[in-house]
Amino acid sequence: MGRPRTPLLDRERIGATALELIDEQGEFSVPQVARRLGVQTGSVYHHVDGRAGVIELVRERVSASIDTATLDLRPWDRALTAWARSYRAAFAAHPHTIPLLMTSPVRAPKVLAQYEHAVRLLLETGFPVARVMTVITALENLVLGSALDLAAPETMWELPQDSPETTKLSEALAATPPRRADTAFELALEAFVAHCRSHVGPSANSSPSGPSGAGAPSSSPSGDPSSPSGA
């Protein structure tokens, strides 16, 4: 009997299957991946470096939805804002991956290349080299926290009826506009980028689109996980 034209197992299928399991149950195991693919667990290990290798395949798969072309936009603050929105949208589509990926070092070559791109943007803009990774890490904290917030209920506060202890909270909640997570993300992102501008010279901050360098806010923020760029 000849070999099947389509291989039963490859790295792409392993990564896709692991991501399916994480989306469904918040975790995965290599034996579970093998069972779903109809192969022995040992066969999976022929293609990846253990569980950590599978995690990197998942990271690469989710990160592939981030629009890296945003990092080529100019001025720099427009690029950083668009990249953040795209980054958030990619992970909002798979929120269960966030706790898993945040506890594992980044090794996937394609993901490292994206970080290289972001670092070059900040260095070319004039950020001190000692400040660059702090800026990127802070932006990721904002982006990934907001991606998790998108998976939360629209209303996160359940108040007792007619409680005098929560009257002001009740008023504030009633006045909150829809798309709470999107509005909060845009506020935080605007404040973050404004703070970053204080660390570069005036020439880097000059922009034809106004003081923010990002133009008008998007009418449809990246809270829609089906829209990877979100910008």
Side-chain angles (χ1 to χ4, degrees):
M1 183 176 179
R3 289 186 174 183
R5 292 186 179 182
T6 303
L8 293 176
L9 199 59
D10 57 34
R11 289 171 61 84
E12 173 134 358
R13 285 199 176 112
I14 293 169
T17 302
L19 181 56
E20 286 175 8
L21 288 166
I22 295 167
D23 285 342
E24 291 169 11
Q25 61 190 31
E27 247 299 352
F28 82 96
S29 69
V30 177
Q32 284 178 322
V33 172
R35 281 196 297 272
R36 183 160 292 193
L37 288 169
V39 299
Q40 297 295 317
T41 300
S43 300
V44 175
Y45 288 122
H46 286 308
H47 295 268
V48 296
D49 181 17
R51 175 182 166 84
V54 179
I55 289 174
E56 286 309 284
L57 292 180
V58 170
R59 190 193 308 277
E60 203 165 72
R61 195 168 188 86
V62 176
S63 297
S65 295
I66 303 173
D67 183 4
T68 56
T70 55
L71 291 168
D72 293 320
L73 297 172
R74 292 297 180 269
W76 70 270
D77 46 1
R78 182 184 175 208
L80 204 63
T81 299
W83 186 54
R85 290 182 179 138
S86 181
Y87 197 145
R88 174 182 181 250
F91 278 87
H94 305 283
H96 289 309
T97 65
I98 295 173
L100 183 66
L101 297 179
M102 293 307 100
T103 57
S104 176
V106 180
R107 294 185 298 156
K110 291 181 181 178
V111 180
L112 291 172
Q114 187 167 163
Y115 279 105
E116 174 75 8
H117 201 162
V119 167
R120 287 177 181 271
L121 168 68
L122 296 181
L123 289 175
E124 289 166 9
T125 298
F127 282 86
V129 66
R131 190 79 174 171
V132 166
M133 291 313 298
T134 300
V135 169
I136 290 175
T137 302
L139 182 61
E140 285 188 313
N141 290 344
L142 190 164
V143 163
L144 296 175
S146 183
L148 284 173
D149 192 22
L150 280 170
E154 177 66 18
T155 303
M156 281 296 295
W157 297 265
E158 293 186 0
L159 307 184
Q161 289 188 346
D162 303 321
S163 171
E165 288 81 11
T166 56
T167 53
K168 294 303 180 184
L169 175 57
S170 179
E171 287 176 18
L173 289 173
T176 301
R179 300 175 69 91
R180 170 189 60 78
D182 291 329
T183 304
F185 172 70
E186 292 298 328
L187 172 64
L189 182 59
E190 180 182 352
F192 173 81
V193 174
H195 172 77
C196 287
R197 288 192 197 101
S198 67
H199 292 275
V200 293
S203 61
N205 289 325
S206 61
S207 164
S209 59
S212 73
S218 169
S219 60
S220 175
S222 63
D224 178 4
S226 66
S227 174
S229 70

